[in-house]
Amino acid sequence: NAGVMQNPRHLVRRRGQEARLRCSPMKGHSHVYWYRQLPEEGLKFMVYLQKENIIDESGMPKERFSAEFPKEGPSILRIQQVVRGDSAAYFCASSPSSQSAHEQYFGPGTRLTVT
Amino acid sequence: QQQVKQSPQSLIVQKGGISIINCAYENTAFDYFPWYQQFPGKGPALLIAIRPDVSEKKEGRFTISFNKSAKQFSLHIMDSQPGDSATYFCAARLKAAGNKLTFGGGTRVLVKP
């Protein structure tokens, strides 16, 4: 059973470009969470999605950031017009659609570098 | 009220020793407390977790102690090994806030052989 998959693992973008980060949850999981980790810091919650629905986006910056989890395909975190401060590791986690929804399993992350 | 404070920031322990990491929280509505282990360049891996109605949970060399009245919990790594060298994060879940996890700042543990 494959774990949470994220791609790309490393992404370099110039200021002003768009970044698209993809996350495929574990098989059977329908809850997806995105977290951001700045160097030497803990993870900060960004958004929580279920299939076709955004449940909680309280951690998302109001501008330039969006997320989706379509009925088919991976979850996408999209950052428009990237700035240097967006450089970070972005982690996706998934959990099953059951009483165990609290057990979140993380992917390997996408390391975004904005030049 | 959403914060989880973790200490120490870094820890050096000899092989065979005990590593102890502490976390404190304010929000009594947190209902689930996991610990994650992260190696450089990797994603966090769920290590062990506890609910507030349990005072202690042990899995192999890893033990969580939970003090509900003090709003503190800690991770003990017994017989620490060089392979345990990693960054450890405590976290807390607020179910009412949609299962999102609030993480502590992390503790970098180095186990010297």
Side-chain angles (χ1 to χ4, degrees), chain B residues 37-56:
Chain B
Q37 179 189 56
Q38 185 179 31
F39 294 104
K42 305 292 185 184
L46 181 61
L47 196 60
I48 186 172
I50 198 168
R51 293 189 178 278
D53 54 349
V54 176
S55 62
E56 185 175 281

Side-chain angles (χ1 to χ4, degrees), chain B residues 6-75:
Chain B
Q6 183 171 346
S7 63
Q9 285 188 313
S10 62
L11 180 61
I12 299 174
V13 63
Q14 292 294 130
K15 179 182 176 182
I18 303 173
S19 303
I20 301 174
I21 305 169
N22 301 298
C23 285
Y25 63 97
E26 289 295 324
N27 193 338
T28 55
F30 285 135
D31 65 343
Y32 170 74
F33 301 87
W35 284 88
Y36 284 84
Q37 179 189 56
Q38 185 179 31
F39 294 104
K42 305 292 185 184
L46 181 61
L47 196 60
I48 186 172
I50 198 168
R51 293 189 178 278
D53 54 349
V54 176
S55 62
E56 185 175 281
K57 183 175 181 180
K58 184 176 180 179
E59 289 184 2
R61 295 184 294 108
F62 299 92
T63 299
I64 301 177
S65 298
F66 192 89
N67 187 330
K68 190 174 181 179
S69 60
K71 291 185 285 186
Q72 295 176 347
F73 58 111
S74 60
L75 176 70

Side-chain angles (χ1 to χ4, degrees), chain A residues 35 40 48 56 58 102 104, chain B residues 36 51 98-101 108:
Chain A
Y35 293 83
E40 308 299 322
Y48 165 35
D56 179 357
S58 59
H102 53 274
Q104 296 182 22
Chain B
Y36 284 84
R51 293 189 178 278
N99 289 325
K100 68 182 179 186
L101 294 174
R108 184 174 291 182

Side-chain angles (χ1 to χ4, degrees), chain A residues 9 31 33 35 37 40-45 48 55-56 58-59 91 95 99 101-109 111, chain B residues 32 34 36 38-46 49 51 87 89 93 95 97-106 108:
Chain A
R9 295 291 309 276
H31 300 231
Y33 311 79
Y35 293 83
Q37 184 177 34
E40 308 299 322
E41 293 189 12
L43 289 84
K44 297 287 193 288
F45 168 81
Y48 165 35
I55 307 301
D56 179 357
S58 59
F91 291 97
S95 65
Q99 290 303 311
H102 53 274
E103 293 178 355
Q104 296 182 22
Y105 297 90
F106 283 79
R111 279 148 185 86
Chain B
Y32 170 74
Y36 284 84
Q38 185 179 31
F39 294 104
K42 305 292 185 184
L46 181 61
R51 293 189 178 278
T87 300
F89 293 96
R93 182 196 72 160
K95 186 174 182 180
N99 289 325
K100 68 182 179 186
L101 294 174
T102 300
F103 282 84
R108 184 174 291 182

